[in-house]
Amino acid sequence: MVCIHFHTSAGNVVCLDEMKFAVLSLSCEACRKVTLNLPSKLEARTLIGKVNLRQCLTTLDLISSSDPDFIVRDDGSLFSANAISLSTDRNFTILLQDTQKHVQKKMLVILRAVQKKVPEKGETVLRRSKRRWAPVPTTIMENSLGPFPMQIQQLSSDTAQKFNVSYSISGPGVDQIPLNYFYIEKETGNLFVTCPIDREEYQEFKIICYARTSDGYTPEVPLVHVIRIEDDNDCPPIFYPVTYIFVVPENSRVGTLIGEMIATDGDEMGTLHTKLKYRIMSQDPVSFQYPKMFNINGDTGVITLASPGLDRETVGEYILLIEARDMGGQPFGLCTTGTAVIQIQDRNDHAPVCEKGLYEVYVPENTVGAKVIEIGAIDRDVPKTPAWHATFKIIKGNEDGAFRIETNPDSNIGTLCIDKGLDYEKTKERRLEIIVNNEEPYVLAPNSRAVSQGSCVVVVKVRDVDEGPVFDPCVYILNIKECLPGGTVVGQYPARDPETGNSEDIRYGILQDPCGWITMDERGEIRTAKLLDRDAPNMQNYQCNVTVFATDRSGKTGTGMVVVNLEDENDNHPMIVEPEKIMCRDRKPICLTAVDADLPPNTVPFTFGMPDRNLGWRLVEHDDRSVYLVPDDNIPYGDYEIPVMVTDNGGKSVILITICGCCGAAPVSKHVCDDLANQNLIISNTEAPGEEVMDPNILPVKTGNVVTSDQGAGLGVKTGGQECFEMVKGGGHQNMESLEGGGIHTLQSVKGHHTLESGRGYGHPMMDTYRYSYSEWQNFTHPRLTEEPIRGHTLIKN
């Protein structure tokens, strides 16, 4: 199948097979014949001529060439597709088709090769000195006055010397929008303009020029010719918008930037036609003191402040008429005017003032939460702005905070309110000094005086009201010493009648007493309800708040508060912790420690002394709570009762008898090591024979380093990996200790079973959870208790 290509008006290519084309060609009608004279050699893409296709068929859907070496465009232009050499004539057909009406026509194109003319001998050959087919761009003055049509250029082809050449043009201004601005004479090539042209609408035109011979040959390549429109100063400057609005704060300094007026010019940029100058034509209103309030930069249109007299309260707005003129401001330049509206912005340059300087008002006493009076403020600044909103402050007469002021931001009215009741009997009149300011700081004009502050005085007069008794003070602090007998008078809390100022015909009573410590009779006397002891177990708190009341003859009642503080009394004597000591032959000092159940300052430091200094013993200071008991060197062994006087810091003293037994043997305790099987115990008795300790009911109890028994108590102190045991029979309490660190060995006997602490003086029994079995204790003690018993205790020596 052979394809034949058709070019549509839209530039599409349609391929039809040969058979279909043959059928279509049967109905084709020959339209016309065109002959083109061409050079013998053509380059590719060379314009060879132009035919009018519309003369054959008005509506063109398909356009095709029977020769692939030639291209046909929609406008009828014919181009060579390849390089062609024409030695003889050559023909091809242009096929035109209207697919909707099913109409086809064809146009025959005959190409003739024109041989180059060789001049004969003696013939003169004319040559052009300058090619005129490509002239320089044409310039037309904008809005030219004519007369029209007006010749602006002449086009000429060199081939006109040999052939009859006709000229044509196309493009914008000819056959494209805008239409019919230009035309060319077909025979002469003279180019004309038909009307004035506005450069602001069209700066230039680019038209295409053609040259053709009479037989359709195109000897010249189509020429693009530029027609430029030269600018004329026909556009005046324009302000957009016409009215500018600027805002500047009042009291601004000279030179403050106001704003910029900008005008535009439609003429050509970079010429005098668009060089603008600005100036102020008029100012409204005109101030007598400052007739020229503003300046404008002639080149930029920037407006600045020229005088310092901007006062919004005097003039709130200025209107300036501004002129913009082109041609650099020359008188013959075009001009226009615009309006600058300069609004003066308010600043806080006026202080608010009170409507009155003195206010007087009456308030009943004891009134709370009520409005007293309204105070209005006047301010010349713009309403409902921070420069106008008032703030009130009481600077004098409200030291107790009884009054406050609330401000209404919409009306600028300050309302004086009372928060604390006033007492007519104390103050019959209050004088309040009030100042008023603005929320925004003051901004003063240059070289102006300071703003005076607004103020007023409010005199509040108190009206007397009959009221109930009043306790003075409202809270009564009552300090009671402990251990006072019940019914003891400890104070009196009177109330008075505010009207009379005395306490006549007033009855008293207790309204609430959670502790039950005091009573109050009808005369206001306060007594203890019972003996109050701080050391009692139920006295956990030493303070109690009691509410009391007072009633006058009219039945009006007032209340007061009694805060009862139970004070500590020096009611406890100091006590020596261990009044019975034993000293062995090494004669090391014995430490005597005292305790006191009272609180400071009725306790430490303790003072120790001996009433009888001739007993062969002396005291050596140790610390605030203890001393050392030291014997003379020659004191014999034996039992001694040594009176020691202990005095606490509160001055309370007591003489305590310290029993000290001195023995001449080795240390009076036996250290029993953990490995009891390797120890040998030797029983020694340094006193008179005693009762043999053979009671099988002795059962030691061990807690860590402490051993106790069921009957009585036995204490063992483990020191350096050894254990010391204490054995007791019956109710007696014998203690054998070995204190390796201090070197003091004691044997004490105390009736009963208790341990004395250094705290409040209450004993606590010592119990143990870990016990030796009875058989183990028998195995240990039975073979060792058959030696020599002593009276009350047994000494075990090394």
Side-chain angles (χ1 to χ4, degrees):
M1 182 180 70
V2 178
C3 283
I4 300 177
H5 297 272
F6 292 87
H7 292 267
T8 66
S9 61
N12 300 325
V13 177
V14 180
C15 178
L16 299 178
D17 56 78
E18 186 177 11
M19 182 177 295
K20 293 181 179 179
F21 180 76
V23 174
L24 291 174
S25 63
L26 295 176
S27 61
C28 287
E29 180 182 352
C31 176
R32 58 178 295 191
K33 181 174 67 174
V34 178
T35 302
L36 298 177
N37 296 321
L38 300 176
S40 59
K41 292 184 179 181
L42 295 175
E43 299 292 334
R45 299 289 177 180
T46 300
L47 178 67
I48 61 175
K50 187 175 182 181
V51 296
N52 190 352
L53 302 178
R54 305 291 177 179
Q55 291 180 355
C56 292
L57 193 61
T58 305
T59 303
L60 299 176
D61 295 328
L62 294 176
I63 304 174
S64 64
S65 172
S66 61
D67 192 340
D69 288 336
F70 300 95
I71 300 173
V72 183
R73 291 187 175 177
D74 295 344
D75 61 350
S77 299
L78 304 179
F79 288 87
S80 59
N82 305 302
I84 301 173
S85 178
L86 297 177
S87 56
T88 61
D89 293 347
R90 185 170 179 177
N91 303 332
F92 68 93
T93 302
I94 301 175
L95 182 63
L96 309 176
Q97 181 180 358
D98 185 349
T99 58
Q100 292 183 355
K101 296 181 179 179
H102 304 286
V103 177
Q104 291 186 359
K105 292 188 179 182
K106 62 181 180 179
M107 178 182 294
L108 179 62
V109 179
I110 302 173
L111 303 179
R112 291 180 178 177
V114 178
Q115 299 297 328
K116 184 175 181 181
K117 183 179 179 182
V118 178
E120 297 180 358
K121 186 176 180 180
E123 183 180 2
T124 303
V125 179
L126 298 178
R127 298 182 180 274
R128 292 187 60 193
S129 60
K130 183 178 180 182
R131 184 174 177 83
R132 300 189 60 191
W133 183 239
V136 296
T138 303
T139 301
I140 303 175
M141 176 61 67
E142 176 187 16
N143 299 322
S144 175
L145 299 179
F148 298 103
M150 181 176 65
Q151 182 180 355
I152 57 176
Q153 186 60 273
Q154 182 182 15
L155 301 179
S156 177
S157 173
D158 292 339
T159 58
Q161 299 177 3
K162 302 178 181 180
F163 304 99
N164 291 326
V165 177
S166 61
Y167 301 93
S168 63
I169 57 176
S170 65
V174 183
D175 53 358
Q176 296 178 18
I177 296 176
L179 299 173
N180 303 322
Y181 274 32
F182 306 97
Y183 74 92
I184 191 170
E185 289 183 345
K186 185 176 181 180
E187 295 80 10
T188 63
N190 292 330
L191 184 63
F192 292 86
V193 59
T194 62
C195 60
I197 300 176
D198 187 1
R199 191 204 68 87
E200 286 71 42
E201 188 174 2
Y202 304 104
Q203 282 87 31
E204 66 179 18
F205 295 88
K206 292 182 180 179
I207 62 176
I208 302 175
C209 303
Y210 304 93
R212 296 185 181 87
T213 61
S214 59
D215 55 2
Y217 168 64
T218 305
E220 302 287 355
V221 176
L223 172 68
V224 178
H225 184 61
V226 178
I227 302 175
R228 295 175 180 171
I229 311 302
E230 184 178 351
D231 183 51
D232 182 27
N233 189 23
D234 60 337
C235 295
I238 297 175
F239 283 106
Y240 185 80
V242 178
T243 302
Y244 284 76
I245 298 177
F246 305 106
V247 178
V248 59
E250 65 176 329
N251 301 324
S252 295
R253 297 184 179 275
V254 174
T256 300
L257 177 65
I258 306 297
E260 182 180 9
M261 294 284 291
I262 300 177
T264 58
D265 196 313
D267 292 320
E268 186 174 359
M269 298 299 297
T271 63
L272 278 176
H273 299 166
T274 56
K275 185 177 182 180
L276 306 181
K277 283 288 185 178
Y278 300 89
R279 68 188 183 102
I280 299 176
M281 300 288 292
S282 64
Q283 169 188 313
D284 182 36
V286 178
S287 172
F288 176 77
Q289 185 177 2
Y290 303 104
K292 185 179 181 181
M293 292 293 298
F294 305 97
N295 285 330
I296 189 169
N297 187 299
D299 296 325
T300 63
V302 174
I303 303 173
T304 56
L305 184 64
S307 301
L310 288 182
D311 185 3
R312 188 202 64 85
E313 287 73 30
T314 303
V315 178
E317 183 178 274
Y318 290 89
I319 298 177
L320 304 181
L321 185 64
I322 309 296
E323 178 192 78
R325 185 180 293 271
D326 60 15
M327 300 301 292
Q330 296 296 326
F332 52 81
L334 302 179
C335 66
T336 189
T337 58
T339 302
V341 178
I342 301 176
Q343 298 175 350
I344 311 303
Q345 184 182 27
D346 183 48
R347 303 181 78 173
N348 193 16
D349 57 344
H350 293 90
V353 295
C354 298
E355 292 180 348
K356 296 181 181 179
L358 178 65
Y359 296 85
E360 186 173 304
V361 64
Y362 289 86
V363 176
E365 65 175 330
N366 301 323
T367 300
V368 176
K371 295 181 180 180
V372 178
I373 197 173
E374 291 184 345
I375 304 172
I378 301 174
D379 197 316
R380 295 177 60 191
D381 293 315
V382 177
K384 298 183 180 180
T385 62
W388 179 80
H389 286 150
T391 60
F392 296 87
K393 183 179 180 181
I394 304 174
I395 61 173
K396 189 175 181 181
N398 192 37
E399 288 75 13
D400 59 349
F403 298 91
R404 62 181 170 85
I405 297 181
E406 296 178 350
T407 306
N408 187 335
D410 295 329
S411 62
N412 250 13
I413 294 178
T415 302
L416 181 65
C417 303
I418 185 168
D419 288 340
K420 296 180 181 179
L422 303 179
D423 190 352
Y424 174 83
E425 287 70 30
K426 291 182 178 180
T427 303
K428 296 179 174 57
E429 182 180 286
R430 294 284 289 271
R431 189 179 183 89
L432 306 177
E433 294 185 12
I434 300 174
I435 60 173
V436 58
N437 286 308
N438 289 126
E439 294 179 356
E440 187 178 89
Y442 296 114
V443 180
L444 304 180
N447 304 322
S448 63
R449 295 180 299 176
V451 175
S452 58
Q453 196 172 49
S455 63
C456 65
V457 176
V458 178
V459 179
V460 180
K461 295 185 177 182
V462 184
R463 288 177 177 173
D464 187 24
V465 176
D466 187 16
E467 39 188 351
V470 177
F471 285 96
D472 190 16
C474 58
V475 177
Y476 176 43
I477 306 300
L478 178 61
N479 297 323
I480 302 176
K481 293 184 178 296
E482 65 173 335
C483 299
L484 292 179
T488 303
V489 178
V490 292
Q492 188 169 11
Y493 190 22
R496 62 177 180 81
D497 190 331
E499 278 69 36
T500 61
N502 54 50
S503 302
E504 295 181 0
D505 298 328
I506 295 179
R507 296 178 290 107
Y508 302 88
I510 294 178
L511 188 62
Q512 184 179 9
D513 183 4
C515 303
W517 290 358
I518 62 174
T519 63
M520 189 178 194
D521 59 18
E522 292 187 354
R523 295 176 297 175
E525 280 189 349
I526 301 175
R527 302 173 183 267
T528 58
K530 57 185 176 181
L531 189 143
L532 304 176
D533 187 0
R534 288 171 57 96
D535 302 325
N538 60 347
M539 300 295 288
Q540 299 297 327
N541 299 318
Y542 307 132
Q543 188 182 82
C544 186
N545 297 335
V546 181
T547 304
V548 299
F549 69 89
T551 306
D552 60 11
R553 68 180 70 181
S554 62
K556 289 185 172 57
T557 303
T559 60
M561 178 69 70
V562 179
V563 179
V564 181
N565 293 320
L566 189 58
E567 295 182 337
D568 183 52
E569 184 69 16
N570 194 10
D571 57 343
N572 292 289
H573 295 283
M575 297 178 61
I576 293 179
V577 178
E578 298 180 3
E580 296 185 9
K581 302 288 184 180
I582 187 168
M583 179 180 291
C584 297
R585 62 182 180 181
D586 55 5
R587 296 178 181 269
K588 288 185 179 180
I590 297 173
C591 184
L592 301 179
T593 302
V595 295
D596 195 329
D598 291 321
L599 297 176
N602 298 324
T603 176
V604 294
F606 298 129
T607 302
F608 296 84
M610 297 180 64
D612 190 353
R613 298 181 180 274
N614 298 322
L615 298 178
W617 298 82
R618 70 181 186 276
L619 300 176
V620 178
E621 292 184 1
H622 179 216
D623 55 25
D624 290 346
R625 295 179 178 275
S626 60
V627 295
Y628 285 114
L629 181 63
V630 182
D632 293 340
D633 294 339
N634 57 355
I635 189 170
Y637 297 109
D639 294 336
Y640 295 88
E641 291 185 357
I642 307 168
V644 178
M645 176 178 289
V646 184
T647 306
D648 60 21
N649 192 41
K652 197 147 192 168
S653 61
V654 63
I655 297 177
L656 304 174
I657 303 298
T658 300
I659 301 176
C660 184
C662 295
C663 60
V668 293
S669 64
K670 174 61 180 176
H671 300 284
V672 182
C673 299
D674 294 338
D675 190 3
L676 300 178
N678 296 329
Q679 299 296 324
N680 295 322
L681 301 179
I682 301 175
I683 300 175
S684 175
N685 187 8
T686 58
E687 297 183 4
E691 181 181 358
E692 183 177 1
V693 182
M694 298 295 292
D695 193 337
N697 294 326
I698 298 177
L699 179 61
V701 179
K702 181 177 182 181
T703 304
N705 295 331
V706 180
V707 179
T708 63
S709 66
D710 291 337
Q711 294 182 353
L715 300 177
V717 180
K718 184 175 182 180
T719 306
Q722 295 179 341
E723 292 182 349
C724 298
F725 290 86
E726 171 185 291
M727 292 160 288
V728 180
K729 179 183 179 183
H733 183 187
Q734 288 83 19
N735 186 17
M736 298 175 61
E737 297 178 342
S738 175
L739 306 177
E740 186 176 356
I744 302 175
H745 307 276
T746 63
L747 175 62
Q748 65 178 2
S749 176
V750 182
K751 302 300 181 181
H753 175 201
H754 67 275
T755 301
L756 181 64
E757 295 181 337
S758 61
R760 301 289 298 170
Y762 294 101
H764 299 282
M766 299 181 62
M767 302 299 296
D768 199 348
T769 59
Y770 181 84
R771 296 178 178 271
Y772 285 104
S773 67
Y774 180 75
S775 61
E776 290 176 339
W777 174 248
Q778 289 283 39
N779 293 336
F780 174 74
T781 60
H782 187 72
R784 291 167 175 79
L785 297 179
T786 57
E787 294 291 332
E788 291 183 22
I790 61 174
R791 184 174 65 250
H793 60 271
T794 302
L795 300 180
I796 304 174
K797 67 179 181 178
N798 294 330

